[in-house]
Amino acid sequence: MGVYIKNCLCMLVFIVLKTHALRAQVSDFKSLDLVRVDNRVRSLKGSSLDNLPILAHRLTQGLPTEVEKFRAIYTWVCTNIKGDRAQHNTVGRMRKKLKNDSLALVDWNAEYKKEAFAKLKRKKKTMCTGYAYLIKELCYLAGIEAVIIDGYGRTVDANVTKLENANHSWNAVRLNDKWYLCDATWSSGYMEEGRGFVSDYNDGYFLTDPVLFGKNHYPLEQKWSLQTTFAQEDFAASPLVYGNTFAHRVIPLLPKKMETVALKNETVFFSLKTLTKVVDQELSMSYYSNNEEKTLTISNLQWNNGTVSFSHQFKRKGIFDIHLKVNDDIIATYVFKVTDKDQPSGP
């Protein structure tokens, strides 16, 4: 697609989860002032992992609510633990080597986890399973129920058009008797070629709306989608989203599929759900041609009760990778095949 995405490759860990899932999101707590929590986290920057009970106590003592305690745990992990490219590369090589022997991969992974967790404690470097493990352990010590969820993370490099490899782990946490989803790995930062891990906290993955979360997370156990229906084929066919999509808390609604066929001069409709109003100068759409970015015309822009809708007419035939942006941040990518003949709209 020619688009860099701030996500990462992760290790496989398979566990059995027995619980009931209810849909919930961060807006349930929008009236809370979390400034004091974040100040607490900053005061404990660089704390050791040698004694997790002490760390959990220092992070949560005196905080009156579960969500404040969890916020302290989550943001500390995200801002003090770094992603480990070496582990990513090791796991990637073994996944390819053992792709036809799932039992051997599970056995290898069980042994490798010991080394990975030892490195996490010693150097504060890990990958997704380490992030998810640390969240779960600190929550347990603070009296908060949390579980590790394994599944498919969708990026420009993985699970783009079909679910090929379960490659990611994240958490669900129970607060006030409701389950919430979060991803400390993708909140913490991203891997960049030539730079390694870049710390860049993204609050959009904290207690995320399940529909938005499901745009690039598909759990092995569907109940952890916290959605009534969540089909694999819909997940793999949907437009690609990015860390910026979560930072802006935007949910692409239309078109439903990443790959779409349109007629030349046909009006194509777009819509997205957002928590903040998007005005003309904040929303744009573009594609690249001969390494040059070209802007597309957005027509009939409308705002209605949290939903932004607009349209565009493609004036010439061809295949276009279309990037929808908010404030110059790419939030969704579509592939349009524009033709002058009626064709099926894709798989």
Side-chain angles (χ1 to χ4, degrees), residues 8-12 88 91 95 127-128 166-169 185-186:
C8 62
L9 181 67
C10 295
M11 182 163 49
L12 302 178
H88 295 306
V91 173
R95 183 183 294 119
M127 55 196 309
C128 59
N167 64 337
H168 197 36
S169 298
T185 307
W186 290 358

Side-chain angles (χ1 to χ4, degrees), residues 235-302:
F235 173 76
S238 64
L240 281 171
V241 297
Y242 306 88
N244 290 325
T245 315
F246 287 74
H248 289 288
R249 298 191 184 278
V250 173
I251 305 174
L253 300 176
L254 291 175
K256 292 184 177 181
K257 295 183 178 182
M258 179 179 67
E259 298 180 351
T260 302
V261 174
L263 291 174
K264 187 174 72 171
N265 295 320
E266 174 189 6
T267 299
V268 178
F269 295 96
F270 296 80
S271 68
L272 53 89
K273 181 179 179 182
T274 177
L275 299 180
T276 58
K277 188 171 182 179
V278 177
V279 295
D280 297 80
Q281 64 265 32
E282 295 177 327
L283 186 67
S284 63
M285 194 163 55
S286 64
Y287 70 99
Y288 284 86
S289 177
N290 297 321
N291 294 320
E292 180 183 354
E293 185 176 14
K294 298 188 176 182
T295 301
L296 297 174
T297 302
I298 289 178
S299 303
N300 303 315
L301 181 65
Q302 298 181 25

Side-chain angles (χ1 to χ4, degrees), residues 24 74 149 152-154 168-172 180-184 186-187 204-219 224-227 230 235 241 246 250-251:
Y74 184 84
I149 301 172
Y152 301 84
R154 187 166 180 252
H168 197 36
S169 298
W170 55 93
N171 293 97
Y180 297 81
L181 298 169
C182 58
D183 187 338
W186 290 358
S187 270
Y205 289 104
F206 175 70
L207 308 185
T208 309
D209 181 301
V211 175
L212 174 55
F213 202 81
K215 294 299 181 181
N216 59 6
H217 295 75
Y218 193 92
W224 288 118
S225 70
L226 304 192
Q227 299 183 53
F230 189 34
F235 173 76
V241 297
F246 287 74
V250 173
I251 305 174

Side-chain angles (χ1 to χ4, degrees), residues 87-284:
Q87 288 189 32
H88 295 306
N89 293 340
T90 297
V91 173
R93 287 193 299 269
M94 291 305 296
R95 183 183 294 119
K96 290 180 180 179
K97 181 179 179 179
L98 301 176
K99 64 180 181 180
N100 296 320
D101 191 345
S102 59
L103 292 179
L105 180 59
V106 170
D107 289 342
W108 175 85
N109 185 73
E111 288 300 314
Y112 189 71
K113 276 194 301 180
K114 301 174 185 177
E115 177 183 338
F117 292 150
K119 188 173 185 180
L120 167 61
K121 181 179 178 180
R122 186 174 68 255
K123 294 187 175 182
K124 294 182 183 175
K125 297 178 68 175
T126 191
M127 55 196 309
C128 59
T129 48
Y131 280 100
Y133 162 80
L134 192 53
I135 291 288
K136 180 178 181 294
E137 288 301 302
L138 289 171
C139 282
Y140 170 77
L141 293 168
I144 298 172
E145 186 177 1
V147 296
I148 298 173
I149 301 172
D150 301 303
Y152 301 84
R154 187 166 180 252
T155 75
V156 294
D157 298 315
N159 302 310
V160 177
T161 57
K162 61 181 179 180
L163 303 189
E164 297 171 318
N165 292 307
N167 64 337
H168 197 36
S169 298
W170 55 93
N171 293 97
V173 58
R174 189 169 183 169
L175 303 170
N176 296 347
D177 295 323
K178 291 183 180 180
W179 284 101
Y180 297 81
L181 298 169
C182 58
D183 187 338
T185 307
W186 290 358
S187 270
S188 67
Y190 56 94
M191 295 290 180
E192 186 171 87
E193 194 67 34
R195 294 180 63 188
F197 180 76
V198 178
S199 296
D200 185 19
Y201 178 68
N202 185 340
D203 202 47
Y205 289 104
F206 175 70
L207 308 185
T208 309
D209 181 301
V211 175
L212 174 55
F213 202 81
K215 294 299 181 181
N216 59 6
H217 295 75
Y218 193 92
L220 294 179
E221 291 189 79
Q222 187 172 339
K223 67 180 181 179
W224 288 118
S225 70
L226 304 192
Q227 299 183 53
T228 304
T229 57
F230 189 34
Q232 288 188 10
E233 55 270 24
D234 293 337
F235 173 76
S238 64
L240 281 171
V241 297
Y242 306 88
N244 290 325
T245 315
F246 287 74
H248 289 288
R249 298 191 184 278
V250 173
I251 305 174
L253 300 176
L254 291 175
K256 292 184 177 181
K257 295 183 178 182
M258 179 179 67
E259 298 180 351
T260 302
V261 174
L263 291 174
K264 187 174 72 171
N265 295 320
E266 174 189 6
T267 299
V268 178
F269 295 96
F270 296 80
S271 68
L272 53 89
K273 181 179 179 182
T274 177
L275 299 180
T276 58
K277 188 171 182 179
V278 177
V279 295
D280 297 80
Q281 64 265 32
E282 295 177 327
L283 186 67
S284 63

Side-chain angles (χ1 to χ4, degrees), residues 309-328:
S309 61
F310 56 94
S311 63
H312 175 74
Q313 289 183 328
F314 291 95
K315 299 300 184 181
R316 61 187 183 88
K317 297 186 296 180
I319 297 177
F320 304 91
D321 286 0
I322 304 300
H323 309 306
L324 182 61
K325 297 182 178 181
V326 172
N327 291 339
D328 291 326

